[in-house]
């Protein structure tokens, strides 16, 4: 298939995943699956792992399914879709788990305008300890007000 289509599908999938992250976070994690997500807001455990980490498994399965559809069923768009989902998941992990929550001690000195805005938005999200009245459910694309001084 034409390279341009492949790139457009990859980029479209990557951007769509930000919407899916927002939607899943707002309506599922802070909704009927709060029981899995609340340990991310309330550290009620001693483990490095959180029940919240289970959400990554769903999108990993979707990504793997796309790779399998491409490989075994000849669904050519499965490859750029699968890679787009994987790339977003990797970005989410780097920004959310490593940069913001410092699960690995890396990127501690990042202090550019984007890094400060993402940190501010996430801090506002975590000031709400319950499942209701939350804000800033996205990850990579946050409202512009968080980038202002």
């Amino acid at each position: 298939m034409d390279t341009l289509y492949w790139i457009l599908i990859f980029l479209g999938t990557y951007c769509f995943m930000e919407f899916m992250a927002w939607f899943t976070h707002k309506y599922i994690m802070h909704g009927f699956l709060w029981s899995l997500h609340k340990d991310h807001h309330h550290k009620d455990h001693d483990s490095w792992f959180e029940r919240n980490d289970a959400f990554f498994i769903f999108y990993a399965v979707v990504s793997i399914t796309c790779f399998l559809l491409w490989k075994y069923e000849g669904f050519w768009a499965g490859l750029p879709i699968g890679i787009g989902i994987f790339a977003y998941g990797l970005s989410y992990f780097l920004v959310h788990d490593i940069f913001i929550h410092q699960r690995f001690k890396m990127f501690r000195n990042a202090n550019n305008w984007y890094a400060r805005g993402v940190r501010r938005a996430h801090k506002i999200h975590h000031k709400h300890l319950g499942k209701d009245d939350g804000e800033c459910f996205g990850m990579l694309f946050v409202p512009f007000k968080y980038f202002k001084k």
Side-chain angles (χ1 to χ4, degrees):
M1 201 66 200
D2 188 40
T3 305
L4 179 61
Y5 290 131
W6 196 99
I7 292 169
L8 289 173
I9 290 172
F10 165 78
L11 291 174
T13 300
Y14 185 91
C15 291
F16 182 70
M17 287 305 297
E18 175 69 6
F19 165 77
M20 289 305 299
W22 170 85
F23 180 88
T24 302
H25 193 179
K26 182 170 182 154
Y27 295 108
I28 296 174
M29 293 177 178
H30 281 256
F32 66 95
L33 287 180
W34 174 250
S35 61
L36 289 177
H37 184 60
K38 73 177 175 182
D39 72 337
H40 183 63
H41 287 263
H42 298 280
K43 298 294 182 203
D44 62 353
H45 55 84
D46 293 327
S47 175
W48 185 81
F49 291 101
E50 299 175 346
R51 291 180 296 277
N52 182 65
D53 294 334
F55 288 105
F56 119 88
I57 294 169
F58 172 77
Y59 287 109
V61 168
V62 173
S63 180
I64 290 166
T65 300
C66 290
F67 290 129
L68 294 174
L69 288 171
W70 165 72
K71 174 96 172 143
Y72 295 108
E73 300 299 325
F75 177 56
W76 72 267
L79 184 60
I81 293 170
I83 293 173
I85 294 169
F86 169 78
Y88 184 84
L90 180 61
S91 300
Y92 192 99
F93 176 73
L94 290 170
V95 170
H96 182 263
D97 291 308
I98 295 179
F99 172 65
I100 293 174
H101 288 291
Q102 290 290 300
R103 288 176 88 174
F104 297 99
K105 305 303 180 205
M106 300 168 57
F107 311 126
R108 297 175 115 182
N109 297 325
N111 198 25
N112 60 55
W113 68 271
Y114 178 76
R116 287 190 305 270
V118 168
R119 257 196 237 110
R120 273 189 210 112
H122 204 74
K123 187 173 185 167
I124 293 298
H125 175 74
H126 276 271
K127 82 175 185 176
H128 302 284
L129 297 178
K131 74 181 223 175
D132 299 319
D133 300 323
E135 55 186 294
C136 297
F137 292 96
M139 176 51 52
L140 301 177
F141 306 121
V142 298
F144 287 115
K145 68 181 180 179
Y146 297 105
F147 296 106
K148 297 176 184 172
K149 291 186 178 193

